[in-house]
Amino acid sequence: TLSHHRKALPRDMPMFILFTAPWCPDCVSALPVINDIFATELRSDASLLRCIVGKTREEWKDPQHPLRSDLRGEHTKVTAITAIPTLVFLGTASSPLTQPKVLSSLEKIDPEEIRSKVQSFLKEHGCQL
């Protein structure tokens, strides 16, 4: 669970979740770019969890899908995920945000624009590139 993951991290490490799916063309385009940024460009540590939203597009598009309503955690509330891929900043392990920050405008854009938006989002939330 997220709370178990949070406890295993250094207290000041920024935490992010990427909502994605292997059947989603936008996600397939964005995932290598985002993975590369986290693996090679960050000069500070950050945690990236990947959450697969569903096995099929039909499962994801179901209005009753649990990610399509507010996500409530032990310390946080994330507004419903309406598009994928979506990157969410949760705060740090010791200081989770009560209202996480969401970057959801990653669909239908080219890899360089994805890179630019994700880099800006990471910098905005204290990561050094």
Side-chain angles (χ1 to χ4, degrees), residues 19-29 31 51-56 84:
F19 292 92
T20 186
W23 46 262
C24 165
D26 294 326
C27 299
V28 170
S29 295
L31 188 59
C51 177
I52 305 298
V53 300
K55 294 178 184 173
T56 65
I84 54 173

Side-chain angles (χ1 to χ4, degrees), residues 56-106:
T56 65
R57 183 179 190 280
E58 292 74 26
E59 180 183 353
W60 164 242
K61 291 294 184 178
D62 180 349
Q64 300 303 313
H65 191 290
L67 295 176
R68 291 197 172 272
S69 60
D70 286 346
L71 306 174
R72 299 178 195 281
E74 184 178 331
H75 302 287
T76 62
K77 176 186 172 200
V78 176
T79 303
I81 304 301
T82 59
I84 54 173
T86 294
L87 186 61
V88 178
F89 174 60
L90 300 171
T92 64
S94 63
S95 298
L97 298 176
T98 56
Q99 187 66 42
K101 306 299 180 193
V102 177
L103 175 62
S104 61
S105 56
L106 298 174

